[in-house]
Every structure is written in C-alpha cells, then in structure tokens.
Amino acid sequence: MLANRKLILAHFWLAFAVFGVALTLGAWQMFIRSPIGTWLSNPELYYRSLTAHGTVMGYVFPTLVAMGFGYAISESALEQRLVGVRWAWGGFWLIVIGSIMAVIPVALGRASVLYTFYPPLIGNVFYYLGVVLVVVGSWIWVALMSINLRVWRKANPGAAVPLAMYANVAGSYLWAWTAVGAALELLLQIIPVAAGLKATIDAGLARVFFSWTLHAIVYFWLMPTYIAYYTIVPRAIGGRVYSDSMARISFILFLVVAMPIGMHHTFADPMVGAGFKFIHSAFTALVALPTLLTVFTICASIEIAARLRGGRGLFGWIRALPWDNPMLLALAFSFIMLGFGGAGGLINMSYQLDASIHNTQWITGHFHLIFGGAIVIMYFAIAYDLWPHLTGRDLIDLRLIRTQLWLWFIGMIVTTFPWHWVGILGMPRRMAYFDFGDPAIAPQALSVTLSAIGGFILLSSGILFLVILARGMRAPQAEAGPYRFALAVHQPATVPIALNTHALWVALMIALTLTNYGYPILTLAMTEGTSVPAVYVGAQ
Amino acid sequence: MMSARDLFTFSNPHFTRGVGITAAILIVTAITGFIVLPFAQPWVQFANVWDAICSAAGVPQRAATITAPGQDKRLSEVVLTSNTLSRPSQEAIGRGATLAQRCAICHGPTGISRADSPNLAGQYAAVIYKELHDFRSGARTNAVMSPFAVNLTDQEIADLSLYYAYLPRLPAYHPTPQLPKPNIVIYGAPMRGIAPCGSCHGSLDNKTGSPWLEGQSEAYMKAQLHAFASGERRNDISQQMRNIARAMTPQEIDQAAAYYASQPPDVVKAVD
C-alpha cells in the first residue's frame, strides 16, 4: 500500500537527477587530472567541481534516497498511510531550496571549500546556509519516521515492529544525532565567520566537530543498503531472512558503535590526544561486527532460497541461485565491493597503518569503493524494486538492468583499484593536476589513466540507469500489487522490548559520544589562542 | 504495553548486557589507551600514571622546561586577517595623503614608481601595512626604506596603507607587450612543492597579505625572489616565500618577473 507515490517518486527523481549531474562532474575530474587530459589552466575550476561533486554525493543524494525509501517503508511495512504528508513535502522543498542556495555560490567559485568544509578556508555564507537547510529538511523526515512508528504502536500495542521499519527508524535516529556535529561546526564556528561577524576560527575544534558527523554519516548512507539486503533481496529471490533477531542486533549495533569513532579521521591531527585516538580506533574495529553478522545472515538467507530451488551440496547451491535476477546480481556485486572496501577500511582505522595511506589517493579510492560501490549499487536495486510500485508500470528489460549493474561494478573496480594502488605509492589526494612528465611519478601514469577510464564506465552506467528509470515511466501499465518485505524463517510474533524499541540504544549512542568526544571538545573550546585567521575563498 | 520501566531495568537482560558490555569495552580501551600504551613507548618518560593519562588525553601543556632557541635575526610580528584595515575612513586616507609626500620621491607622486621601487597605487592595504611594520621592526631591511619607516607610528602606518590602497591603479612606466602566462605562474611546479604564483598573487586567486604584482618592476621582483632564495630577506611568514624561491630555477624567476611586469594593473580584480 503506497498511498503517497508522488512524494516518494519526487524524492527519488531529485536524488537521481542530482546524482547524474555530480557523476558527470566526477568523471570530468578523473579525466582532467589524468595523463590523458591537459592541465587545467585554472585549478580553482577543479576545486569548484570537487565541491559540487562532494556536496551532492555526500549530503543531497543519499539523504534523499534514505528519505524516499523511508517513506515507502513506513507506508508499506506498517500498512498505514503516512502521517504528516504536508510536513514531508515541506522537508522535500527545504532540500530543494537548500541545494539551490548551496550550489549557486559553488558554481560562481565563491565556495570552493570541498564538502568537508576545511576551515580555516571559508566560502560564501549561502553555501553553508544551503547545507543547513538540507539537514533541517532531513530532520523533518527523522521526526516523521518516529511519529509514524509511534502512531502504529498505539494501534498495535505490543506487536513486533516490522524489521524494515525498525531498521529505518534506527537509521533516522543515527542521522539525527550524527548530523549534530557538523551542525555545531556550521552554526557556532563557520557561519559566524562566513557572515563576517568574526575573522578567526578554531580549525582544530571544527575538525573534531566534523569528525563527529563524518564517520557515522557513512553508516547513515549504508542503512538503506542494509535494509535492502535484509528485507528486499531474500524476498526478490524467493528466500527468507535467516534470523530476524540477528538483523535487529546488526542495526542496533550500528546505532551504538557507528557514532563514537569519527576521530580515526583525525589520526594525523595534533589537537586530539593519542588516548582518545586509540579508543576511537578500537570502537571503529567494532563496526566490523554488525557487517560480519550481516554478511553471515544474508549468505544464510540466500542459501535458503537456493536450497528451496533444489540446490544441493556444500557450495553447489550457489549455482541454483537465480543469477538472472538483478537483485541477486546487485547483492553479489555489493558484497564483493564491501569485502574489498571493508578490508581497506581496517587499514584506515588502524592507528599505525593509517600513517602510510593518510591523505593519499588510497582514501579517495576507499570511500568510492564503499559508498559509490557497495552502497550505491543497492540504491539502484532499491529503485528497480520499488519503481513498478511507484509508477504502476513494469520494468520490462531485465537485460538492460543487468548490463547497468555489471557496468557499475566493473567501472567501480577499474576506478578504485588503481586509485588505491597509487595511494600506496604516495600520491596525495585533492590535487588538481600531477606532473606525469616528472620521472618520479611517470610510472603512476598508467594506473591513473586506467582509473579515469573506469570513471567513464561509471558515467555510462549512470546514464543507463537514468534511461531505464525514465523508460519505466512510459512502459505499459501493470498493477504490481502491494509492496512486501522479506519474511523471516521464524517470523516473530513478539520481540523483546529492547529489540522492538530504540531508546536503550539511542541512550548508549549518546553516552558513548559524551565519553569519546566530551573531553576533547571541551578542552579545545576552552583553550585560548587556538584560533587562526580565516582564509576566504574567492573573496575578490 | 511496553514502557521505559521494563526497558531500563537490571532485570532486563538486554539492558544489563548491553550497558555492561559497552562499559566493559570502554573501560578496557581507556585503560589500554591512557595507561598501557603511553608506558609502552620507551622513548617517552612519565613521572607517574596521572602524567601518562594527561598526556594521552591531550591536556594542553606549556613546555616550560624547554627554552626556544635564540633568534639572532628579527622575524615579522605582524598578524593579518582578511579584515585588517578593511574599513577605511576618509580622514585616515587624508592623513595618509599628507604623509605620503615623503614617499613620492621613490614611489612616485601618483604611487607609480619611475625608479624600480614598488608601485603602491591601489596595492592592498594589508600588504603595505605589513611591510611598513616589518621595516620599522627590522624584520625587513633596506638602506633607503628603513630610515623612513623607523619613526612611523602605528597610526601613521595604517593611514599610509589606506591612502595607497585608495589610489587608482594606473599603468606602469615600462610598457612591454603583455606576455602569456608561464607554467610557474599558473601551475607552479607540483613535484618541487611550488604552488602557482597566481594562486596567491593574483591571476588565479589572492590570499591575505600577498601583494598583487601586475605592472611591478621586473628588476625589483627578480631582486626580491633572489633575496628570498638566499635568505637575505626573511620577513615572510613561516618561510612561505623563501621555500618557494629556493626551489625555483633562475629561468623560472626570470619568467615570473617578466610576466607580472608585463601585465596592466587593470587586470587585478577589484577587491575593495
């Protein structure tokens, strides 16, 4: 039962439209700093493009997907009409206005500060205000998810909250809390300077605030993907979720341990004590746990599907899987990229190993493989799965869908593997051009060229994706029936209170934030003389 | 009906285990990070456990026992922000105009020099402000300029800076055909750690404290780059210009100086 199809479609279309633009910018960036492009005579253009690419891909695109998918989950999993539809549209328009407000100064070269802000660089104040509006718009979604669950609970006292909604609300709470770090940085530090009320900024404190947001935001991006793993893929291939409890435990673990770990982004920064860096490193290692639980549960779930289809043997069942089903294909690609990306992540989070790849192209390769690869390919899968229910029309050409997924997978591997490699060789990130004529880095030219070719494969896949969705809007009408989520092998009638509510885990998340961030933030805020003059970008 | 009372109670095993395991992990990692690992570094000495904890927590400490190595040469003490002298008053400009009469013999009555001294007309106020302060303190020295600067008051320095910044940017006295941008100006030399000249001095971007250079004397700019390279001039903050000039080839110095000298000053974008 999807009553508000327009609302959900609006979120998805806006998300994928801005994704298409940012993807094009990304491919251009790969090309222009590779040996096959000529050097840009104005590096500012590169940073302008990089800022737009990051802002869209980091803030606007995944937030809109999570929101649209969240509304769809709320209506279909709870089987109740969305409460607060007007507010939902309000949130959507805030994001539209915020995005436009942010992108204008970026396009004019007044805010080439990259999406991570990098104070003491300061751009035009409207860029930051636009980002704030996007976040505020998404907070409306957070509130609506919570309210809709509450309404449902009143109508169904004591019943088990459907897994998809339980996970969706966990994701929304994680986002609400993790966005607070960047919000504090913007409101207390950056915006006063950008507005001209102050001329100095405590860049160290700002970086700590940003790390509060920057790691857990990745798990917010990840949530729709994990929800799709658990609740879409097993249903789509005719299997069942191996364990409903294991799924819930994975999601609450993300809620608790995704948050107090962000300082592994500041290992090379002098303003945080080594003891806190170690604690953050240790808690980052714990995040592997819910991922490993998920990989286990999902593999078990698809094995159930394979055995129901007559698969036999220790590994023979793998052949019995419906490999022509795009959902399974997307899952397989996503797992492979998650495996490589996760292994790389273990290196990033290790306090000592990080030193060898810190601020190199390895990092850029890593987060493109995890986010652009493992996560975004499941966004495609979510869109394909929901589309017939949103449009009332079939997506007929499965072959084209499979081609698109293959291209994305190949493109991402071709892009990110050489990217990791040149990072190990020491190539720094955030550079507009490299002198490949210099013998010292000439051998890296081949890897960088390969990477740029991967970028164009990704671009072609992205275009194909948009074409498939657009064609789906004009296909012959077909009623897709109610939207359903995968059932568990043992579908729970009741669930222990701790796994049916979020309060305990939210409390732990906040408590760990206080223990792991409280002291560093307080000392930095109270130490005198830690501010530096702001450097205004494009001020002339 | 479920309630918070059933959730936040020690009779709820999820609560007990959840909180217990989280607290246990936190305590173990804290002991490791704040006590075990600090002492595991043989090259660091701690007086006691509290000392180690403070160090690992990043408590700000003054290194009182170590005295900074003595400086035999004066360094620049000027602090600039992008707001330095950003709100000029007409009175200050007027006072500056009177004071500037004594500068005119070298820097020209309209702020355009005929003597290979810098053109000051329309230069950023913060730049003139910094150089005058440095000449006065001795961080920068010049046989002609130093005696003029040594008796200036803070007020006079600010007034002079505002006056020259206020003057229109006129063409220089050494007309040459406008040269194309050399690599060092737009690309720098990435492999030698040289940022493009244009990323601070105009043509691409401008950074606080960096002068615009269009139409300046070629001989003057070459002399300054060589002075930075040899360490004879050292009033650049954190050795920014010394590090760049040292890594530049003589050809690059010539190209950069010739390029900027050939540019008309009206290509400097208005910043005021």
Side-chain angles (χ1 to χ4, degrees):
Chain A
M1 185 184 76
L2 287 173
N4 287 290
R5 296 173 178 192
K6 258 195 188 157
L7 176 77
I8 299 162
L9 261 181
H11 280 80
F12 278 125
W13 263 125
L14 182 61
F16 296 133
V18 294
F19 163 77
V21 175
L23 182 66
T24 313
L25 291 176
W28 175 76
Q29 288 158 215
M30 298 296 289
F31 168 73
I32 204 69
R33 62 172 174 68
S34 76
I36 42 179
T38 42
W39 284 12
L40 261 181
S41 61
N42 187 349
E44 203 278 329
L45 288 176
Y46 178 81
Y47 295 110
R48 202 181 290 194
S49 171
L50 192 52
T51 307
H53 176 82
T55 305
V56 167
M57 294 300 206
Y59 301 136
V60 184
F61 165 57
T63 308
L64 282 167
V65 169
M67 289 168 73
F69 190 36
Y71 293 133
I73 290 172
S74 180
E75 289 213 318
S76 49
L78 300 184
E79 295 181 4
Q80 75 179 16
R81 280 185 81 99
L82 188 71
V83 178
V85 177
R86 278 192 183 179
W87 282 95
W89 277 111
F92 174 78
W93 284 108
L94 273 181
I95 293 185
V96 173
I97 296 167
S99 305
I100 295 172
M101 196 192 264
V103 87
I104 290 175
V106 172
L108 292 175
R110 298 298 179 94
S112 304
V113 295
L114 312 199
Y115 87 107
T116 34
F117 306 147
Y118 291 121
L121 282 182
I122 297 289
N124 185 283
V125 68
F126 286 101
Y127 169 68
Y128 304 110
L129 291 176
V131 173
V132 169
L133 284 190
V134 170
V135 173
V136 171
S138 70
W139 279 346
I140 293 179
W141 166 75
V142 173
L144 286 177
M145 289 302 97
S146 182
I147 289 167
N148 275 280
L149 181 58
R150 191 170 293 238
V151 170
W152 183 87
R153 273 195 218 276
K154 275 224 175 103
N156 302 274
V161 176
L163 174 61
M165 189 61 180
Y166 185 74
N168 177 37
V169 174
S172 77
Y173 288 159
L174 177 64
W175 171 239
W177 183 243
T178 192
V180 168
L184 289 173
E185 181 196 6
L186 285 171
L187 298 176
L188 300 180
Q189 296 194 275
I190 292 181
I191 289 178
V193 181
L197 305 173
K198 279 176 68 189
T200 59
I201 187 164
D202 186 340
L205 178 61
R207 288 175 65 85
V208 172
F209 273 138
F210 196 76
S211 81
W212 166 329
T213 295
L214 188 55
H215 206 70
I217 197 175
V218 179
Y219 294 96
F220 164 63
W221 299 338
L222 200 75
M223 282 294 183
T225 293
Y226 272 50
I227 295 174
Y229 286 167
Y230 281 107
T231 68
I232 293 181
V233 176
R235 186 258 295 140
I237 63 169
R240 286 201 159 210
V241 180
Y242 175 69
S243 164
D244 180 84
S245 310
M246 195 90 100
R248 284 169 199 264
I249 289 170
S250 299
F251 285 108
I252 56 166
L253 276 176
F254 274 126
L255 201 50
V256 177
V257 295
M259 198 28 245
I261 64 177
M263 276 184 198
H264 68 249
H265 291 248
T266 62
F267 279 158
D269 288 29
M271 72 281 169
V272 181
F276 283 103
K277 287 175 180 169
F278 175 77
I279 293 186
H280 281 246
S281 176
F283 273 88
T284 315
L286 286 179
V287 184
L289 200 63
T291 293
L292 293 174
L293 279 180
T294 299
V295 171
F296 175 82
T297 311
I298 299 304
C299 287
S301 306
I302 61 169
E303 185 181 344
I304 292 172
R307 296 206 184 275
L308 286 173
R309 295 165 62 91
R312 293 280 172 274
L314 192 57
F315 292 106
W317 58 268
I318 294 173
R319 257 180 306 157
L321 283 167
W323 286 105
D324 55 345
N325 186 320
M327 291 302 125
L328 183 67
L329 203 58
L331 176 83
F333 291 154
S334 180
F335 268 20
I336 294 170
M337 293 190 280
L338 189 69
F340 282 112
L346 293 177
I347 290 171
N348 305 346
M349 58 122 254
S350 308
Y351 197 170
Q352 284 80 7
L353 285 176
D354 172 73
S356 57
I357 44 84
H358 195 88
N359 260 344
T360 67
Q361 301 266 11
W362 165 285
I363 300 295
T364 342
H366 165 75
F367 66 72
H368 278 84
L369 185 55
I370 285 274
F371 176 44
I375 294 177
V376 169
I377 205 165
M378 290 310 288
Y379 289 2
F380 298 152
I382 291 169
Y384 289 143
D385 196 55
L386 265 173
W387 223 245
H389 299 268
L390 296 172
T391 59
R393 296 157 198 273
D394 258 345
L395 287 180
I396 311 158
D397 200 342
L398 293 189
R399 228 179 106 123
L400 205 57
I401 292 179
R402 285 196 297 268
T403 310
Q404 189 268 326
L405 294 172
W406 268 107
L407 277 177
W408 191 261
F409 173 67
I410 294 169
M412 196 51 80
I413 298 288
V414 174
T415 305
T416 57
F417 278 35
W419 222 345
H420 278 82
W421 171 242
V422 294
I424 295 175
L425 297 179
M427 183 177 270
R429 59 191 280 212
R430 307 185 198 104
M431 291 283 163
Y433 38 69
F434 294 91
D435 187 356
F436 293 104
D438 190 294
I441 61 167
Q444 295 168 31
L446 179 65
S447 306
V448 178
T449 307
L450 273 176
S451 210
I453 293 169
F456 285 105
I457 300 177
L458 288 171
L459 180 61
S460 66
S461 171
I463 293 169
L464 196 54
F465 171 67
L466 293 174
V467 168
I468 293 170
L469 293 190
R471 280 175 54 179
M473 307 292 291
R474 286 183 293 136
Q477 292 203 334
E479 184 46 52
Y483 192 67
R484 299 242 176 263
F485 295 96
L487 298 175
V489 174
H490 301 287
Q491 191 63 14
T494 59
V495 173
I497 178 170
L499 297 183
N500 208 31
T501 59
H502 301 88
L504 173 59
W505 316 111
V506 170
L508 278 176
M509 166 177 83
I510 294 175
L512 281 176
T513 309
L514 295 179
T515 57
N516 290 11
Y517 271 105
Y519 179 80
I521 288 179
L522 271 182
T523 36
L524 282 170
M526 289 164 68
T527 308
E528 294 283 319
T530 49
S531 291
V532 292
V535 177
Y536 291 91
V537 168
Q540 356 190 316
Chain B
M1 185 71 192
M2 299 177 289
S3 74
R5 229 179 315 148
D6 302 325
L7 181 60
F8 291 96
T9 166
F10 287 106
S11 58
N12 175 2
H14 285 100
F15 175 79
T16 322
R17 278 184 226 149
V19 175
I21 293 173
T22 310
I25 293 172
L26 184 66
I27 290 166
V28 170
T29 53
I31 290 173
T32 315
F34 286 91
I35 300 172
V36 178
L37 288 179
F39 281 108
Q41 307 170 78
W43 58 91
V44 190
Q45 296 295 320
F46 295 105
N48 49 43
V49 171
W50 183 244
D51 193 22
I53 292 175
C54 288
S55 160
V59 178
Q61 288 166 332
R62 301 234 169 272
T65 49
I66 306 161
T67 47
Q71 268 297 337
D72 52 342
K73 305 233 168 87
R74 288 198 73 98
L75 297 175
S76 182
E77 286 153 2
V78 183
V79 176
L80 295 176
T81 73
S82 8
N83 288 353
T84 304
L85 300 181
S86 62
R87 291 188 182 79
S89 73
Q90 292 302 315
E91 292 77 23
I93 293 171
R95 286 194 302 269
T98 312
L99 290 165
Q101 303 213 341
R102 66 178 98 157
C103 316
I105 189 163
C106 294
H107 293 286
T110 57
I112 302 297
S113 169
R114 286 171 181 271
D116 283 342
S117 312
N119 302 330
L120 299 180
Q123 186 52 275
Y124 302 128
V127 169
I128 302 175
Y129 174 85
K130 176 174 185 303
E131 295 309 315
L132 283 175
H133 270 283
D134 286 348
F135 276 122
R136 188 176 68 177
S137 71
R140 185 178 175 188
T141 52
N142 176 283
V144 182
M145 195 59 214
S146 297
F148 276 97
V150 77
N151 291 321
L152 292 175
T153 65
D154 286 356
Q155 165 92 63
E156 286 168 339
I157 288 178
D159 292 346
L160 276 167
S161 309
L162 291 169
Y163 167 68
Y164 276 116
Y166 159 85
L167 288 183
R169 288 165 185 157
L170 299 175
Y173 281 109
H174 41 81
T176 47
Q178 214 173 326
L179 295 173
K181 291 187 179 95
N183 278 354
I184 191 74
V185 169
I186 41 168
Y187 302 125
M191 294 305 292
R192 279 176 283 144
I194 304 180
C197 311
S199 62
C200 293
H201 291 287
S203 291
L204 297 174
D205 199 359
N206 187 274
K207 300 280 155 55
T208 303
S210 316
W212 57 265
L213 301 175
E214 282 82 353
Q216 296 293 356
S217 146
E218 185 178 345
Y220 174 77
M221 286 188 285
K222 266 166 77 169
Q224 295 310 310
L225 281 170
H226 285 296
F228 276 128
S230 67
E232 185 193 326
R233 181 174 166 186
R234 45 179 198 285
N235 70 323
D236 51 333
I237 296 161
S238 309
Q239 300 214 21
Q240 288 171 337
M241 275 313 298
R242 274 172 284 176
N243 283 331
I244 287 172
R246 268 197 293 268
M248 285 171 83
T249 63
Q251 291 77 17
E252 283 168 343
I253 289 181
D254 290 350
Q255 286 170 347
Y259 163 75
Y260 275 110
S262 76
Q263 302 301 306
D266 52 15
V267 303
V268 182
K269 284 180 257 171
V271 69
D272 324 306

